[in-house]
Amino acid sequence: MSEDNSGVVRPYKDRDLDDLLTAWESASEIAHPFLTKEFLASERENIPNLYIPNAETWVYEDDGRVVGFVALIGDEVGAIFVHPSHQKKGVGRQLMDKAKELRGELVVEVFKANTIGRAFYSKYGFERVSEKVHTQTGFDLLRLRLPSVKV
């Protein structure tokens, strides 16, 4: 993995919305091919109208463009997405490092069928807590926890 240190993690601003949605949509296509177009269209509407107003969102900006983001709701990672062109370059790790710096212990839910996301969380150190069915889609969700490290 090559590290990309040319970008910066910073708080989300309203002007970031188009780039954020592009990163989410592109990453979702490869991480969630099992989800219906209708569900994804609904989620695309929910991001600016429901999720962003209720989350603390941080973005990764590279060369003036937002290519990834992490959204926190309390100690829960509500979303973390990196544009495919910037995956495997340390962007997701830098976003998760920011979340960990802000919250310590973190929890996240990930679709069991999302092998890309599951691999990322496992490599980062998240541990499985439970499994349930996602009511809107019928797919299995895994709840994972990143223990806080006591220094």
Side-chain angles (χ1 to χ4, degrees):
M1 170 178 83
S2 66
E3 292 289 326
D4 179 358
N5 294 317
S6 63
V8 62
V9 175
R10 63 164 175 78
Y12 170 84
K13 297 177 180 154
D14 289 342
R15 66 178 156 85
D16 299 329
L17 182 60
D18 287 343
D19 285 349
L20 182 147
L21 287 171
T22 297
W24 171 80
E25 208 159 35
S26 300
S28 285
E29 285 176 10
I30 62 168
H32 304 130
F34 49 90
L35 295 176
T36 66
K37 288 186 184 344
E38 294 77 17
F39 178 76
L40 291 171
S42 170
E43 288 295 275
R44 192 178 196 287
E45 291 297 314
N46 287 336
I47 289 171
N49 299 315
L50 180 62
Y51 300 142
I52 288 177
N54 293 298
E56 179 182 347
T57 304
W58 292 78
V59 299
Y60 187 93
E61 181 181 329
D62 185 35
D63 200 22
R65 196 174 115 229
V66 168
V67 297
F69 70 97
V70 62
L72 301 169
I73 303 162
D75 66 352
E76 181 143 2
V77 177
I80 182 169
F81 287 90
V82 175
H83 193 284
S85 66
H86 283 70
Q87 290 179 0
K88 303 211 183 294
K89 296 180 179 180
V91 174
R93 174 164 287 281
Q94 288 183 55
L95 287 165
M96 194 62 78
D97 286 349
K98 179 52 132 177
K100 189 167 105 177
E101 171 193 323
L102 293 167
R103 298 294 193 273
E105 184 173 302
L106 296 168
V107 293
V108 68
E109 289 185 343
V110 60
F111 284 107
K112 193 173 185 178
N114 177 356
T115 56
I116 294 168
R118 287 178 55 206
F120 171 78
Y121 294 126
S122 175
K123 186 175 180 183
Y124 199 86
F126 279 82
E127 300 167 353
R128 183 176 165 162
V129 175
S130 60
E131 185 172 335
K132 68 178 182 182
V133 174
H134 185 248
T135 53
Q136 295 98 316
T137 64
F139 287 100
D140 290 338
L141 272 181
L142 300 177
R143 186 164 184 82
L144 310 175
R145 179 178 69 89
L146 180 68
S148 60
V149 178
K150 304 289 184 221
V151 180

